[in-house]
Amino acid sequence: MNAIATRRCETRNSRPKLTALLAAAALMATAGIARAQTFRGAIVGTVIDQSQAPVPGAQVRVKNQATGLARTTATDDAGNYDVRELPIGVYPFVG
């Protein structure tokens, strides 16, 4: 009777780990995209005087034409302003 010697070779399958790693990377990459989708907007600009110099501390008011929602902010030292998280709508310019 001939005996056959066998050797059992166990290797760990790295495919599940690689799949989980790729899935986690894809999820993290799309998380920023998903957060960026919003139904809100912003109005940004600069207030300048007749000589094209910035006007710091100027009051800027935006008002949604349909809803009447109004927000007020002040310009920074460079005359810049931004009003964020505004519901989408029409905000007419009043000079």
Side-chain angles (χ1 to χ4, degrees):
M1 181 176 210
N2 293 338
I4 299 175
T6 61
R7 181 167 47 167
R8 188 174 178 186
C9 184
E10 291 183 334
T11 58
R12 292 187 179 174
N13 190 351
S14 62
R15 184 169 289 218
K17 288 181 182 177
L18 179 60
T19 302
L21 181 63
L22 290 175
L27 193 60
M28 288 175 21
T30 59
I33 295 169
R35 268 184 293 158
Q37 296 175 356
T38 180
F39 294 103
R40 301 216 176 253
I43 298 175
V44 298
T46 304
V47 177
I48 54 174
D49 63 16
Q50 292 177 345
S51 68
Q52 304 300 307
V55 181
Q59 292 292 314
V60 177
R61 183 173 186 250
V62 297
K63 183 177 180 183
N64 185 304
Q65 187 175 23
T67 65
L69 172 76
R71 301 242 178 98
T72 304
T73 189
T75 59
D76 62 15
D77 291 339
N80 300 316
Y81 65 90
D82 65 352
V83 184
R84 301 201 179 270
E85 292 298 315
L86 293 170
I88 294 174
V90 177
Y91 294 83
F93 175 75
V94 180

